[in-house]
Amino acid sequence: MLIGVPKEIKNHEYRVGMTPASVKELVERGHKVMVETNAGNGIGFSDQHFIDAGANIAPNAEVVFSECDMIVKVKEPQASERAMLREDQILFTYLHLAPDAPQTQDLMKSKAVCIAYETVTSDKKTLPLLAPMSEVAGRMSIQAAMTSLEKSNSGCGMLLGGVPGVESAKVTILGAGVVGRNAAQMAAGLGAEVVILDKNIDALREVDTIYQGKVKTVYSTADSIEKHVTSSEVVIGSVLLPGASAPKLITKELVKKMKPGSVIVDVAIDQGGCSETSVATTHQEPTYIVDEVVHYCVANMPGGVARTSTFALNNATLPYIVALADKGYKEALLNDKHLLNGLNVFHGQITNASVAKSHGLNFVEPQTALLS
C-alpha cells in the first residue's frame, strides 16, 4: 500500500502523522510511504530524515492526496484537503465530526473511508488513540491556566500554587477522565487547591485513591458545578462523550457569576466545548474575554508541544496503520471491532451513531456498510 503523510496546515500545527521511525516500520513491511516536503520541519524532522527511513518526498499536498491509498494525518482535514479526497481512499486522523457539519458533509461527498482516531476503542473501554493527546492536553491545560492568570494576560494576577503565607488558587476540573486526571496531577503538584467533578463514582474513587485526599472529589450536579465553578480561579473543561458534542455544563449565566480575572480552559473545544461561551481559538490568539473571564479554547492544544505529541501519538497509531496497510481496510476493520468503532464515514454513509445524531443524519451500522 502507498501511504501518504501531508504537511499539517491548521494554524500553528507542527505535528506530523508519522515519524521517520514509523515510516521505516511500514517500509520494512513492504509498503511505500510518501511524505510531503517539510512536513516534519517544525519538530526537527527534515526531508532527509524521512528519505533515510525509506520515504519518497512529494513536492506538495496535491501529489500526496492524488497518488496515495491511505492518508495519515493528525488534525481533521481542512476544506482544501477535503476537496482532494477521493472515493475509497482511506483517511486516518482525528475528525471530531459532531460539532462540524461542513466537514461531515464534505467527507460524505468524497465517499472516502474516514476512520477517526478519537472513536477507536479497546477491550478496557478506553480510547487508546485519544488518550495520548488527552494526557498532553490535560497537562498543558494547567500551563495555559497559569499563564492566563497573569495580570498582563487579563487574569486576576494570582500564582497558581501560592507561596508560604499566601493562599493558592482553586482549580475546578469538570471530568475525571484522562484529561482531568492529568490536569489534577499537574495542579496538585504545583500546590493548587484542586476539586474534580464527575458523575462516574468509580472514576472519582480512582482519583481519591491516587491522590489520597490531595484532590477533592465531588459528584457532578448542576448545584455542585455552580458552587465550585463560581468559587474558583481556574476551571478546566475536560468532559467527553465519545463521538458526540460536549455537554454545555457551564452556562452563560454561570460565567457571569465567576470571579473577575478567573480562567476557563476548555479542553473539550474539539467537541464543541463544555461552556456556552466557548469559541475555538488558535495558538496564535489563544484567549479572549467574556464577562471578565479569560477563555482559553485552543482546538489543537497538543500542537503547542508538537514534538512530544507526535511521538506519543505515533506510539499509539502505528499498530493500526500497520493493520490497515497489511490487510486492507475492509479486512482490518472487520477483524477488529475496536478499529471498526473508529469508522465514522464510509462511501457517503455515516457509520457513527453519535455523529449521525448530532447532525440529524441517517446512521448505518459500520459492519453493514462494509458488507453491502
Side-chain angles (χ1 to χ4, degrees):
M1 182 179 287
L2 178 54
I3 300 132
V5 182
K7 180 180 173 65
E8 297 293 325
I9 59 173
K10 195 163 187 174
N11 179 271
H12 281 276
E13 182 55 75
Y14 305 106
R15 288 175 289 180
V16 63
M18 291 176 66
T19 63
S22 295
V23 168
K24 185 176 181 180
E25 189 75 16
L26 270 297
V27 170
E28 289 189 349
R29 300 180 74 91
H31 302 290
K32 295 180 180 179
V33 181
M34 180 182 290
V35 180
E36 184 181 353
T37 185
N38 299 325
N41 275 9
I43 55 172
F45 292 136
S46 67
D47 287 354
Q48 192 60 50
H49 285 113
F50 285 107
I51 291 169
D52 291 344
N56 294 316
I57 302 300
N60 52 51
E62 287 79 3
V63 173
V64 175
F65 277 86
S66 67
E67 295 189 13
C68 294
D69 306 303
M70 174 164 60
I71 302 296
V72 177
K73 282 178 43 62
V74 178
K75 289 306 294 177
E76 72 278 0
Q78 304 302 291
S80 62
E81 295 174 311
R82 300 195 295 267
M84 294 187 283
L85 288 167
R86 63 177 189 275
E87 185 172 353
D88 215 41
Q89 188 174 43
I90 306 166
L91 173 66
F92 194 34
T93 188
Y94 288 115
L95 293 176
H96 299 292
L97 292 176
D100 193 342
Q103 185 192 179
T104 303
Q105 291 294 334
D106 285 350
L107 295 185
M108 291 174 69
K109 289 176 185 176
S110 74
K111 296 188 178 181
V113 180
C114 307
I115 305 168
Y117 292 160
E118 72 272 11
T119 60
V120 174
T121 56
S122 75
D123 286 332
K124 296 180 180 179
K125 299 181 179 180
T126 61
L127 302 172
L129 304 190
L130 187 61
M133 296 304 93
S134 295
E135 291 167 344
V136 172
R139 297 181 184 209
M140 284 189 73
S141 70
I142 302 303
Q143 291 183 193
M146 290 173 64
T147 302
S148 298
L149 281 174
E150 294 177 13
K151 196 65 182 175
S152 60
N153 294 319
S154 302
C156 62
M158 198 168 184
L159 184 64
L160 195 72
V163 293
V166 182
E167 64 183 357
S168 59
K170 178 178 177 181
V171 178
T172 288
I173 301 169
L174 304 179
V178 178
V179 171
R181 290 197 301 271
N182 277 271
Q185 178 183 338
M186 296 294 285
L190 289 165
E193 177 190 350
V194 185
V195 178
I196 190 164
L197 288 77
D198 204 298
K199 288 184 175 292
N200 186 331
I201 294 295
D202 289 333
L204 295 177
R205 286 195 183 103
E206 184 178 346
V207 170
D208 188 61
T209 299
I210 293 170
Y211 294 104
Q212 300 180 336
K214 293 180 181 178
V215 173
K216 297 176 183 178
T217 58
V218 177
Y219 186 79
S220 182
T221 64
D223 183 69
S224 63
I225 290 172
E226 179 172 1
K227 174 184 175 181
H228 290 285
V229 165
T230 56
S231 62
S232 296
E233 282 72 40
V234 173
V235 176
I236 307 296
S238 62
V239 292
L240 173 69
L241 299 176
S245 295
K248 302 296 184 183
L249 301 182
I250 305 172
T251 64
K252 292 179 181 178
E253 291 304 312
L254 195 52
V255 172
K256 291 178 181 178
K257 296 178 182 179
M258 291 177 67
K259 296 180 178 182
S262 58
V263 176
I264 294 174
V265 180
D266 199 341
V267 186
I269 194 65
D270 272 329
Q271 294 294 121
C274 64
S275 172
E276 288 183 345
T277 52
S278 289
V279 177
T281 60
T282 67
H283 284 290
Q284 187 172 337
E285 296 183 32
T287 63
Y288 60 92
I289 313 296
V290 176
D291 293 321
E292 297 185 84
V293 176
V294 182
H295 289 59
Y296 181 102
C297 303
V298 175
N300 59 329
M301 281 182 67
V305 287
R307 188 172 176 88
T308 296
S309 298
T310 294
F311 280 104
L313 181 59
N314 268 235
N315 290 343
T317 58
L318 182 58
Y320 298 95
I321 297 170
V322 168
L324 288 164
D326 283 355
K327 301 176 182 179
Y329 72 77
K330 184 170 287 189
E331 183 181 348
L333 290 166
L334 292 174
N335 286 354
D336 185 343
K337 63 181 181 181
H338 297 301
L339 182 58
L340 184 62
N341 286 334
L343 186 64
N344 280 210
V345 184
F346 178 77
H347 291 179
Q349 303 169 98
I350 300 297
T351 52
N352 179 281
S354 296
V355 172
K357 183 179 179 181
S358 293
H359 298 297
L361 297 168
N362 291 330
F363 164 66
V364 180
E365 287 285 350
Q367 187 168 1
T368 301
L370 285 166
L371 294 175
S372 62

